[in-house]
Amino acid sequence: MSEPLWTSGEIAAAVRGQLSGGDFAATGVDIDSREVVEGDLFVALAGERDGHDFIEAALAAGAAGSLATKPSPGNTILVEDTLAALGELGAAARERASGARRGAVTGSVGKTSVTQAVLAGLKLAGDGHGSVRSFNNHIGVPLTLARMPKSTRRAIFEMGMNHAGEIAPLSKLVRPHVAAVTNVEAVHVKNFPDGEAGVARAKAEIFEGLETGGTAILNADNAWTGELAATARGRGGSVRTFGLSERADARVTRFEVTAEGAEVEARIDGAPIAYSLRQSAPHWGPMSLCATLMLEALGVERSVALKALAGFEPLTGRGVSLDLQGPGGPFTVIDESFNASPVSVAAALTALGARPAHGRRIAALTDMLELGADAPARHAALASQIEAADVDRVFLAGPLMRSLWDGLPCARRGAWAPTAADLAPTLVEAIGAGDVVMIKGSKASKASLLVKALVSHSEAAR
């Protein structure tokens, strides 16, 4: 029988809690009763819905015990604040796995994909641990730490933010040996009076918990790299860079789109390397080097890192290619619906332009949010990227995308609608055999509805 993740005694000591009921052993930690599996510790967090109301459901699903602020059914460890206790449990996990090297990733674009690519490499190297999905906030990061087994050799954590001051406490909790900033762009700028400069300072908070002698990994092509590097060095860190620039320590020299993804040639510290990717978007050249530098800094051999990258599939909503069947024949959907910013939409359009298409190249875009007063202009500016990618038809949804629609030539106009739900039937009707359709937009503008509509259309056609 494998060793439990936590015993009730270890949990109580870590969170300074009082055990009510019998001793127990937990094999996992969860905060959602719908995801609880046999042996989990269920943490009853307060929020829009009080987690204490779901303790019985968690126990019925097999939870071994709960972390709660009031007497509850089953085996319970009582604390004053369950969120604070989750952080304390995470800190205890960090301390007991004292030999593990820890990495952290943030950035305006690409942080989840880079984090998951690094995690793939860590798992390939053995005893790796890391963030699942986009567990990158004040709940997700301590939860990921609390789930870390004591046998962990290496771990990777994603850190996100909407406002200043959100990343610093996460970094201080994780205390990374390696911290990467994929880029700084105009994302969440409405929350920063000084725009991208404020975003850059917020991203630089990832270095506040950097272990002495740690490494910062930065994008050499980004305008804010100098400021980020100065902050990292001020915290005692060394700096490694990636990108297209000749100044980068890891530099892409060739990126060729193939039917399976892409072939990449690069130089790291002057030495040539070549490898394959499942991703075809050109920005994955630099991002793959970011992941490689992170893995090497975490003690993973380069050959293992490149093998992991070669097998790493695009994540749902972040470039997954779906081969679907319509009434007239097959077509392809590139699902980029998870989120959007000006730089990520531009990258997705560039990738669309590089894709071979037997029919038309079609872009279906919904509003990019949290861009502040410049939002209409930033939407309108996508017209030049659409032209450069030689997109045949453009379908748009949302009031902000109207600014782009008004600037498009009639020959490229597909349709505009107030919402994604309104646009979906028109888009479905327009798709023909051989078309390649790229769908992208901010999560709250519901670009994913367009993906679902086309998948349903395909299922009905079969």
Side-chain angles (χ1 to χ4, degrees), residues 315-341:
L315 304 177
T316 300
R318 296 177 173 90
V320 170
S321 183
L322 306 173
D323 294 323
L324 303 178
Q325 181 71 38
F331 65 97
T332 300
V333 170
I334 304 170
D335 180 6
E336 289 273 7
S337 64
F338 182 80
N339 220 333
S341 67

PDB file of all heavy atoms in Angstrom, residues 315-341:
ATOM      1  N   LEU A 315      -3.365  22.308 -25.801  1.00  0.00           N
ATOM      2  CA  LEU A 315      -4.384  22.205 -24.773  1.00  0.00           C
ATOM      3  C   LEU A 315      -5.741  22.632 -25.312  1.00  0.00           C
ATOM      4  O   LEU A 315      -5.828  23.438 -26.244  1.00  0.00           O
ATOM      5  CB  LEU A 315      -4.019  23.080 -23.570  1.00  0.00           C
ATOM      6  CG  LEU A 315      -2.659  22.811 -22.929  1.00  0.00           C
ATOM      7  CD1 LEU A 315      -2.403  23.804 -21.808  1.00  0.00           C
ATOM      8  CD2 LEU A 315      -2.583  21.384 -22.400  1.00  0.00           C
ATOM      9  N   THR A 316      -6.799  22.128 -24.698  1.00  0.00           N
ATOM     10  CA  THR A 316      -8.157  22.487 -25.099  1.00  0.00           C
ATOM     11  C   THR A 316      -8.336  24.007 -25.053  1.00  0.00           C
ATOM     12  O   THR A 316      -8.016  24.650 -24.050  1.00  0.00           O
ATOM     13  CB  THR A 316      -9.189  21.830 -24.167  1.00  0.00           C
ATOM     14  OG1 THR A 316      -9.027  20.416 -24.240  1.00  0.00           O
ATOM     15  CG2 THR A 316     -10.607  22.200 -24.563  1.00  0.00           C
ATOM     16  N   GLY A 317      -8.835  24.558 -26.157  1.00  0.00           N
ATOM     17  CA  GLY A 317      -9.053  25.999 -26.233  1.00  0.00           C
ATOM     18  C   GLY A 317      -7.809  26.804 -26.527  1.00  0.00           C
ATOM     19  O   GLY A 317      -7.852  28.032 -26.602  1.00  0.00           O
ATOM     20  N   ARG A 318      -6.674  26.125 -26.709  1.00  0.00           N
ATOM     21  CA  ARG A 318      -5.405  26.817 -26.933  1.00  0.00           C
ATOM     22  C   ARG A 318      -4.681  26.231 -28.145  1.00  0.00           C
ATOM     23  O   ARG A 318      -3.505  25.917 -28.086  1.00  0.00           O
ATOM     24  CB  ARG A 318      -4.525  26.724 -25.690  1.00  0.00           C
ATOM     25  CG  ARG A 318      -5.109  27.425 -24.463  1.00  0.00           C
ATOM     26  CD  ARG A 318      -4.209  27.222 -23.276  1.00  0.00           C
ATOM     27  NE  ARG A 318      -4.607  27.981 -22.115  1.00  0.00           N
ATOM     28  CZ  ARG A 318      -5.433  27.563 -21.160  1.00  0.00           C
ATOM     29  NH1 ARG A 318      -5.966  26.350 -21.271  1.00  0.00           N
ATOM     30  NH2 ARG A 318      -5.727  28.303 -20.124  1.00  0.00           N
ATOM     31  N   GLY A 319      -5.408  26.073 -29.226  1.00  0.00           N
ATOM     32  CA  GLY A 319      -4.774  25.632 -30.463  1.00  0.00           C
ATOM     33  C   GLY A 319      -5.067  24.213 -30.874  1.00  0.00           C
ATOM     34  O   GLY A 319      -4.458  23.722 -31.837  1.00  0.00           O
ATOM     35  N   VAL A 320      -5.976  23.540 -30.191  1.00  0.00           N
ATOM     36  CA  VAL A 320      -6.339  22.177 -30.591  1.00  0.00           C
ATOM     37  C   VAL A 320      -6.980  22.195 -31.979  1.00  0.00           C
ATOM     38  O   VAL A 320      -7.841  23.028 -32.273  1.00  0.00           O
ATOM     39  CB  VAL A 320      -7.328  21.559 -29.581  1.00  0.00           C
ATOM     40  CG1 VAL A 320      -7.892  20.258 -30.115  1.00  0.00           C
ATOM     41  CG2 VAL A 320      -6.637  21.328 -28.247  1.00  0.00           C
ATOM     42  N   SER A 321      -6.548  21.300 -32.826  1.00  0.00           N
ATOM     43  CA  SER A 321      -7.091  21.189 -34.175  1.00  0.00           C
ATOM     44  C   SER A 321      -8.122  20.060 -34.213  1.00  0.00           C
ATOM     45  O   SER A 321      -7.810  18.920 -33.837  1.00  0.00           O
ATOM     46  CB  SER A 321      -5.966  20.909 -35.172  1.00  0.00           C
ATOM     47  OG  SER A 321      -6.450  20.861 -36.489  1.00  0.00           O
ATOM     48  N   LEU A 322      -9.340  20.390 -34.649  1.00  0.00           N
ATOM     49  CA  LEU A 322     -10.433  19.419 -34.707  1.00  0.00           C
ATOM     50  C   LEU A 322     -10.798  19.151 -36.158  1.00  0.00           C
ATOM     51  O   LEU A 322     -11.160  20.083 -36.889  1.00  0.00           O
ATOM     52  CB  LEU A 322     -11.659  19.961 -33.964  1.00  0.00           C
ATOM     53  CG  LEU A 322     -11.445  20.407 -32.512  1.00  0.00           C
ATOM     54  CD1 LEU A 322     -12.709  21.065 -31.971  1.00  0.00           C
ATOM     55  CD2 LEU A 322     -11.044  19.225 -31.643  1.00  0.00           C
ATOM     56  N   ASP A 323     -10.686  17.925 -36.585  1.00  0.00           N
ATOM     57  CA  ASP A 323     -11.093  17.534 -37.937  1.00  0.00           C
ATOM     58  C   ASP A 323     -12.552  17.093 -37.891  1.00  0.00           C
ATOM     59  O   ASP A 323     -12.884  16.060 -37.288  1.00  0.00           O
ATOM     60  CB  ASP A 323     -10.203  16.400 -38.456  1.00  0.00           C
ATOM     61  CG  ASP A 323      -8.770  16.848 -38.655  1.00  0.00           C
ATOM     62  OD1 ASP A 323      -8.560  18.000 -39.080  1.00  0.00           O
ATOM     63  OD2 ASP A 323      -7.857  16.053 -38.369  1.00  0.00           O
ATOM     64  N   LEU A 324     -13.414  17.883 -38.508  1.00  0.00           N
ATOM     65  CA  LEU A 324     -14.857  17.671 -38.426  1.00  0.00           C
ATOM     66  C   LEU A 324     -15.443  17.370 -39.798  1.00  0.00           C
ATOM     67  O   LEU A 324     -14.792  17.554 -40.824  1.00  0.00           O
ATOM     68  CB  LEU A 324     -15.533  18.896 -37.818  1.00  0.00           C
ATOM     69  CG  LEU A 324     -15.036  19.316 -36.417  1.00  0.00           C
ATOM     70  CD1 LEU A 324     -15.751  20.570 -35.954  1.00  0.00           C
ATOM     71  CD2 LEU A 324     -15.221  18.180 -35.412  1.00  0.00           C
ATOM     72  N   GLN A 325     -16.689  16.926 -39.791  1.00  0.00           N
ATOM     73  CA  GLN A 325     -17.364  16.548 -41.023  1.00  0.00           C
ATOM     74  C   GLN A 325     -18.640  17.371 -41.175  1.00  0.00           C
ATOM     75  O   GLN A 325     -19.499  17.367 -40.293  1.00  0.00           O
ATOM     76  CB  GLN A 325     -17.715  15.056 -40.994  1.00  0.00           C
ATOM     77  CG  GLN A 325     -18.403  14.551 -42.243  1.00  0.00           C
ATOM     78  CD  GLN A 325     -17.465  14.498 -43.444  1.00  0.00           C
ATOM     79  OE1 GLN A 325     -16.298  14.149 -43.302  1.00  0.00           O
ATOM     80  NE2 GLN A 325     -17.964  14.842 -44.611  1.00  0.00           N
ATOM     81  N   GLY A 326     -18.755  18.100 -42.285  1.00  0.00           N
ATOM     82  CA  GLY A 326     -19.973  18.828 -42.588  1.00  0.00           C
ATOM     83  C   GLY A 326     -20.768  18.119 -43.665  1.00  0.00           C
ATOM     84  O   GLY A 326     -20.301  17.126 -44.238  1.00  0.00           O
ATOM     85  N   PRO A 327     -21.951  18.611 -43.971  1.00  0.00           N
ATOM     86  CA  PRO A 327     -22.769  17.987 -45.022  1.00  0.00           C
ATOM     87  C   PRO A 327     -22.056  17.912 -46.364  1.00  0.00           C
ATOM     88  O   PRO A 327     -22.240  16.965 -47.130  1.00  0.00           O
ATOM     89  CB  PRO A 327     -23.998  18.894 -45.092  1.00  0.00           C
ATOM     90  CG  PRO A 327     -24.057  19.556 -43.764  1.00  0.00           C
ATOM     91  CD  PRO A 327     -22.639  19.738 -43.335  1.00  0.00           C
ATOM     92  N   GLY A 328     -21.208  18.927 -46.642  1.00  0.00           N
ATOM     93  CA  GLY A 328     -20.527  18.951 -47.931  1.00  0.00           C
ATOM     94  C   GLY A 328     -19.163  18.295 -47.938  1.00  0.00           C
ATOM     95  O   GLY A 328     -18.556  18.127 -49.001  1.00  0.00           O
ATOM     96  N   GLY A 329     -18.658  17.943 -46.744  1.00  0.00           N
ATOM     97  CA  GLY A 329     -17.336  17.332 -46.680  1.00  0.00           C
ATOM     98  C   GLY A 329     -16.597  17.764 -45.426  1.00  0.00           C
ATOM     99  O   GLY A 329     -17.128  18.492 -44.577  1.00  0.00           O
ATOM    100  N   PRO A 330     -15.353  17.328 -45.256  1.00  0.00           N
ATOM    101  CA  PRO A 330     -14.592  17.612 -44.037  1.00  0.00           C
ATOM    102  C   PRO A 330     -14.139  19.073 -43.964  1.00  0.00           C
ATOM    103  O   PRO A 330     -13.902  19.721 -44.987  1.00  0.00           O
ATOM    104  CB  PRO A 330     -13.390  16.671 -44.144  1.00  0.00           C
ATOM    105  CG  PRO A 330     -13.229  16.441 -45.614  1.00  0.00           C
ATOM    106  CD  PRO A 330     -14.602  16.480 -46.202  1.00  0.00           C
ATOM    107  N   PHE A 331     -14.012  19.561 -42.744  1.00  0.00           N
ATOM    108  CA  PHE A 331     -13.433  20.885 -42.494  1.00  0.00           C
ATOM    109  C   PHE A 331     -12.682  20.828 -41.171  1.00  0.00           C
ATOM    110  O   PHE A 331     -12.802  19.860 -40.412  1.00  0.00           O
ATOM    111  CB  PHE A 331     -14.503  21.985 -42.485  1.00  0.00           C
ATOM    112  CG  PHE A 331     -15.507  21.878 -41.364  1.00  0.00           C
ATOM    113  CD1 PHE A 331     -15.361  22.621 -40.197  1.00  0.00           C
ATOM    114  CD2 PHE A 331     -16.613  21.040 -41.469  1.00  0.00           C
ATOM    115  CE1 PHE A 331     -16.283  22.538 -39.166  1.00  0.00           C
ATOM    116  CE2 PHE A 331     -17.538  20.947 -40.446  1.00  0.00           C
ATOM    117  CZ  PHE A 331     -17.378  21.693 -39.284  1.00  0.00           C
ATOM    118  N   THR A 332     -11.894  21.842 -40.876  1.00  0.00           N
ATOM    119  CA  THR A 332     -11.033  21.846 -39.694  1.00  0.00           C
ATOM    120  C   THR A 332     -11.339  23.068 -38.835  1.00  0.00           C
ATOM    121  O   THR A 332     -11.489  24.175 -39.348  1.00  0.00           O
ATOM    122  CB  THR A 332      -9.546  21.869 -40.097  1.00  0.00           C
ATOM    123  OG1 THR A 332      -9.264  20.701 -40.873  1.00  0.00           O
ATOM    124  CG2 THR A 332      -8.643  21.896 -38.876  1.00  0.00           C
ATOM    125  N   VAL A 333     -11.410  22.850 -37.533  1.00  0.00           N
ATOM    126  CA  VAL A 333     -11.565  23.937 -36.565  1.00  0.00           C
ATOM    127  C   VAL A 333     -10.301  24.018 -35.716  1.00  0.00           C
ATOM    128  O   VAL A 333      -9.846  23.001 -35.182  1.00  0.00           O
ATOM    129  CB  VAL A 333     -12.787  23.725 -35.662  1.00  0.00           C
ATOM    130  CG1 VAL A 333     -12.802  24.729 -34.504  1.00  0.00           C
ATOM    131  CG2 VAL A 333     -14.072  23.853 -36.456  1.00  0.00           C
ATOM    132  N   ILE A 334      -9.728  25.196 -35.620  1.00  0.00           N
ATOM    133  CA  ILE A 334      -8.621  25.443 -34.700  1.00  0.00           C
ATOM    134  C   ILE A 334      -9.221  26.143 -33.485  1.00  0.00           C
ATOM    135  O   ILE A 334      -9.644  27.293 -33.573  1.00  0.00           O
ATOM    136  CB  ILE A 334      -7.525  26.302 -35.339  1.00  0.00           C
ATOM    137  CG1 ILE A 334      -7.022  25.662 -36.635  1.00  0.00           C
ATOM    138  CG2 ILE A 334      -6.367  26.499 -34.361  1.00  0.00           C
ATOM    139  CD1 ILE A 334      -6.112  26.557 -37.434  1.00  0.00           C
ATOM    140  N   ASP A 335      -9.274  25.435 -32.377  1.00  0.00           N
ATOM    141  CA  ASP A 335      -9.940  25.934 -31.173  1.00  0.00           C
ATOM    142  C   ASP A 335      -8.963  26.747 -30.329  1.00  0.00           C
ATOM    143  O   ASP A 335      -8.132  26.216 -29.612  1.00  0.00           O
ATOM    144  CB  ASP A 335     -10.501  24.752 -30.371  1.00  0.00           C
ATOM    145  CG  ASP A 335     -11.208  25.202 -29.099  1.00  0.00           C
ATOM    146  OD1 ASP A 335     -11.360  26.417 -28.883  1.00  0.00           O
ATOM    147  OD2 ASP A 335     -11.612  24.315 -28.320  1.00  0.00           O
ATOM    148  N   GLU A 336      -9.075  28.064 -30.425  1.00  0.00           N
ATOM    149  CA  GLU A 336      -8.283  29.005 -29.623  1.00  0.00           C
ATOM    150  C   GLU A 336      -9.205  29.793 -28.691  1.00  0.00           C
ATOM    151  O   GLU A 336      -8.939  30.928 -28.342  1.00  0.00           O
ATOM    152  CB  GLU A 336      -7.544  29.982 -30.550  1.00  0.00           C
ATOM    153  CG  GLU A 336      -6.407  29.385 -31.339  1.00  0.00           C
ATOM    154  CD  GLU A 336      -5.092  29.409 -30.573  1.00  0.00           C
ATOM    155  OE1 GLU A 336      -5.127  29.776 -29.376  1.00  0.00           O
ATOM    156  OE2 GLU A 336      -4.052  29.072 -31.155  1.00  0.00           O
ATOM    157  N   SER A 337     -10.310  29.151 -28.282  1.00  0.00           N
ATOM    158  CA  SER A 337     -11.400  29.890 -27.642  1.00  0.00           C
ATOM    159  C   SER A 337     -11.203  30.182 -26.169  1.00  0.00           C
ATOM    160  O   SER A 337     -12.040  30.853 -25.560  1.00  0.00           O
ATOM    161  CB  SER A 337     -12.707  29.104 -27.816  1.00  0.00           C
ATOM    162  OG  SER A 337     -12.638  27.853 -27.138  1.00  0.00           O
ATOM    163  N   PHE A 338     -10.127  29.704 -25.545  1.00  0.00           N
ATOM    164  CA  PHE A 338     -10.021  29.856 -24.100  1.00  0.00           C
ATOM    165  C   PHE A 338      -9.907  31.314 -23.672  1.00  0.00           C
ATOM    166  O   PHE A 338     -10.519  31.745 -22.710  1.00  0.00           O
ATOM    167  CB  PHE A 338      -8.823  29.067 -23.547  1.00  0.00           C
ATOM    168  CG  PHE A 338      -8.728  29.170 -22.044  1.00  0.00           C
ATOM    169  CD1 PHE A 338      -9.532  28.380 -21.243  1.00  0.00           C
ATOM    170  CD2 PHE A 338      -7.863  30.064 -21.441  1.00  0.00           C
ATOM    171  CE1 PHE A 338      -9.474  28.485 -19.850  1.00  0.00           C
ATOM    172  CE2 PHE A 338      -7.796  30.169 -20.054  1.00  0.00           C
ATOM    173  CZ  PHE A 338      -8.594  29.378 -19.265  1.00  0.00           C
ATOM    174  N   ASN A 339      -9.100  32.100 -24.387  1.00  0.00           N
ATOM    175  CA  ASN A 339      -8.939  33.507 -24.022  1.00  0.00           C
ATOM    176  C   ASN A 339      -8.304  34.255 -25.175  1.00  0.00           C
ATOM    177  O   ASN A 339      -7.883  33.645 -26.168  1.00  0.00           O
ATOM    178  CB  ASN A 339      -8.093  33.659 -22.750  1.00  0.00           C
ATOM    179  CG  ASN A 339      -8.643  34.744 -21.834  1.00  0.00           C
ATOM    180  OD1 ASN A 339      -9.294  35.682 -22.291  1.00  0.00           O
ATOM    181  ND2 ASN A 339      -8.388  34.618 -20.543  1.00  0.00           N
ATOM    182  N   ALA A 340      -8.221  35.589 -25.047  1.00  0.00           N
ATOM    183  CA  ALA A 340      -7.690  36.377 -26.160  1.00  0.00           C
ATOM    184  C   ALA A 340      -7.162  37.719 -25.684  1.00  0.00           C
ATOM    185  O   ALA A 340      -7.671  38.304 -24.732  1.00  0.00           O
ATOM    186  CB  ALA A 340      -8.768  36.593 -27.222  1.00  0.00           C
ATOM    187  N   SER A 341      -6.136  38.185 -26.368  1.00  0.00           N
ATOM    188  CA  SER A 341      -5.578  39.528 -26.214  1.00  0.00           C
ATOM    189  C   SER A 341      -5.078  39.935 -27.592  1.00  0.00           C
ATOM    190  O   SER A 341      -4.974  39.092 -28.499  1.00  0.00           O
ATOM    191  CB  SER A 341      -4.421  39.511 -25.216  1.00  0.00           C
ATOM    192  OG  SER A 341      -3.332  38.762 -25.748  1.00  0.00           O
TER     193      SER A 341
END
